[in-house]
Amino acid sequence: MKKTTILIVIFGIILIPILYFKYLNIKENIIKSSKLNKQQIFQKGEWISNLDSSSGISIRENKIAFFKKMKFTSDDIYEYKILDSIYQTKDEEDKVKEFLMMKDFSNTIYYQIIKKNDSSITLKINKTKIETFNLKKSEPN
């Protein structure tokens, strides 16, 4: 009985540090970074807000502008990029979030992208406001 207890203690002394460093202490081995998303361009056009039908986003190539009452000025135009937030360990890379980065000469603004597809973009505007923008369908000629 004594040999069994000694073996269990020795096994515990060896196994606990291995488990701790391999599984429980993994946070210390995570590298947090960002990289460009493979899809860099949203569909061009007007994306109408679900909260206010006279507000939304206008997109042309790599330029974006938020508008209110169907108007915006040149000061409202930003270049944009879509970024992936990445957690990287020794063995794998996980995309944890996606962000819209808007940049002009003096400002950089980030909005978290909650969901996106060819006809809808949902953004986390601030801690409490989530807004969805739907691509306005063009009128047939």
Side-chain angles (χ1 to χ4, degrees):
M1 189 71 136
K2 234 177 180 183
K3 285 184 181 182
T4 306
T5 306
I6 292 172
L7 285 175
I8 292 172
V9 170
I10 291 172
F11 184 70
I13 290 171
I14 294 171
L15 185 62
I16 289 172
I18 291 171
L19 289 174
Y20 175 77
F21 287 111
K22 180 145 178 90
Y23 297 104
L24 300 177
N25 200 26
I26 198 163
K27 287 184 180 180
E28 292 181 18
N29 299 326
I30 294 176
I31 298 170
K32 299 175 184 178
S33 64
S34 63
K35 68 179 184 180
L36 289 175
N37 183 285
K38 291 177 185 173
Q39 179 195 351
Q40 280 299 304
I41 303 292
F42 288 123
Q43 294 270 41
K44 75 174 185 176
E46 277 56 60
W47 297 71
I48 307 302
S49 169
N50 68 322
L51 302 177
D52 177 3
S53 62
S54 68
S55 297
I57 302 171
S58 180
I59 296 178
R60 301 291 184 274
E61 296 175 15
N62 68 333
K63 304 277 194 239
I64 189 168
F66 282 81
F67 60 84
K68 292 196 182 290
K69 298 182 183 178
M70 301 307 260
K71 295 180 183 177
F72 64 89
T73 67
S74 61
D75 292 339
D76 299 322
I77 299 173
Y78 293 85
E79 286 189 19
Y80 76 89
K81 294 186 182 199
I82 302 169
L83 301 175
D84 292 333
S85 177
I86 304 294
Y87 285 7
Q88 190 171 11
T89 63
K90 181 180 175 185
D91 300 325
E92 60 186 39
E93 183 176 279
D94 290 322
K95 177 177 140 181
V96 291
K97 293 182 183 176
E98 197 170 26
F99 290 91
L100 171 64
M101 179 182 80
M102 303 181 337
K103 192 171 188 137
D104 68 5
F105 297 107
S106 60
N107 294 319
T108 303
I109 301 169
Y110 294 91
Y111 293 126
Q112 183 182 348
I113 299 171
I114 304 296
K115 184 181 98 177
K116 73 174 185 329
N117 59 42
D118 288 343
S119 61
S120 178
I121 305 168
T122 302
L123 300 176
K124 185 174 185 179
I125 305 297
N126 58 39
K127 289 183 179 184
T128 60
K129 184 178 179 184
I130 293 176
E131 192 166 359
T132 298
F133 302 89
N134 296 303
L135 184 60
K136 181 180 174 185
K137 297 194 181 1
S138 58
E139 301 287 323
N141 292 342

